[in-house]
Amino acid sequence: MGTRGRAVRRGALPWAAPLYVGVLQFGAYATGRLPGRRRAELLRAHSTNVANLRAGRWGTLATSAAFVEEPLPAVYGAALLATLGTAEARWGAGRAAGVFAAGHVGASLLVYAGLRARRGSCSGGTARAVDVGASYGFCATLGALAATVPHRGARLAAVGALLVPAAVPVVRRGRTFTDAGHLAALALGMAMGATGVAGADFGHRARRLGAALRGNSGAGKGSRGRDLAGPAGGAAGVRRDRVTAEVV
């Protein structure tokens, strides 16, 4: 019964991914109709920039993923939908959303910590920059899918195909803090995929681990845990939608 329910859930058509992408597009068109100054104020108020986080506006860690400065281009929107939809179909809406949120929030906090550590980068426009979009969560989901490709050779190729293009902007002159954020989000997603945090059978593996630990405590040092290798996955393309361009 439990196995059948899990298979049905994983086989169901994604609904959360299309809803989220639709909300992003609708919101972009709606904010685009606002006067320029009002629109800029709205986006800045929901940005995960240094000024907001330093002032304790931690809610922007969530709301920044609900806004984009411009409507998503067709290619990027399709890639975002395909990636999030694939993750939802394989892992379920809740776990896919968790990977997206962990990458978005985690990368935002890492960027914030890095900018705070570099005091010279926290002044002027950088501290109050517009920093909204889905790209951190997108990168994290891509990374998790790449890290769960079943065949080792294909998995290494997928990971490399994502890491190299994401790392190049970070090492060049004139990089922006969002370049670092995309790389951080990608690495976080890959870590989640490699450790099995992303996956539809995570709960089952967690129960197995709990049983193994209980058995180990009862049977002594002779008991051993089991492997927690991640489930199968895939990868897709990525385009940045973060709108900041300040050099750090």
Side-chain angles (χ1 to χ4, degrees):
M1 182 69 71
T3 302
R4 180 183 302 176
R6 184 162 57 250
V8 170
R9 185 168 60 252
R10 292 179 65 183
L13 289 175
W15 60 269
L19 178 62
Y20 173 64
V21 175
V23 167
L24 280 181
Q25 285 289 60
F26 178 80
Y29 285 116
T31 56
R33 299 178 65 87
L34 296 173
R37 184 174 180 177
R38 173 67 182 118
R39 177 171 164 273
E41 290 174 351
L42 176 66
L43 293 177
R44 192 166 284 112
H46 291 282
S47 294
T48 50
N49 55 32
V50 173
N52 280 336
L53 295 181
R54 188 164 51 193
R57 302 184 187 101
W58 301 108
T60 59
L61 290 170
T63 60
S64 58
F67 291 88
V68 288
E69 190 182 23
E70 302 288 346
L72 303 177
V75 173
Y76 179 63
L80 177 63
L81 179 59
T83 300
L84 301 186
T86 298
E88 182 181 350
R90 291 181 176 176
W91 308 331
R95 193 157 301 282
V99 170
F100 182 96
H104 175 78
V105 173
S108 297
L109 289 176
L110 287 173
V111 167
Y112 170 64
L115 290 175
R116 288 296 302 271
R118 297 182 61 182
R119 295 183 181 277
S121 299
C122 292
S123 59
T126 299
R128 297 183 297 277
V130 173
D131 189 21
V132 296
S135 59
Y136 287 173
F138 184 16
C139 287
T141 305
L142 275 175
L145 287 171
T148 53
V149 172
H151 189 274
R152 185 173 183 272
R155 182 169 61 252
L156 292 176
V159 168
L162 292 175
L163 278 179
V164 172
V168 168
V170 176
V171 299
R172 72 184 181 189
R173 294 178 64 88
R175 62 186 175 272
T176 67
F177 64 79
T178 54
D179 291 330
H182 293 126
L183 181 59
L186 191 63
L188 287 171
M190 289 177 177
M192 286 186 279
T195 57
V197 172
D201 59 343
F202 174 78
H204 177 62
R205 293 200 308 277
R207 288 191 294 272
R208 289 175 57 190
L209 177 61
L213 292 175
R214 288 193 297 272
N216 184 61
S217 64
K221 295 182 180 180
S223 301
R224 301 181 64 181
R226 299 186 179 183
D227 183 52
L228 296 180
V238 62
R239 170 196 174 275
R240 295 178 302 174
D241 66 337
R242 298 263 161 175
V243 298
T244 48
E246 287 72 16
V247 176
V248 296

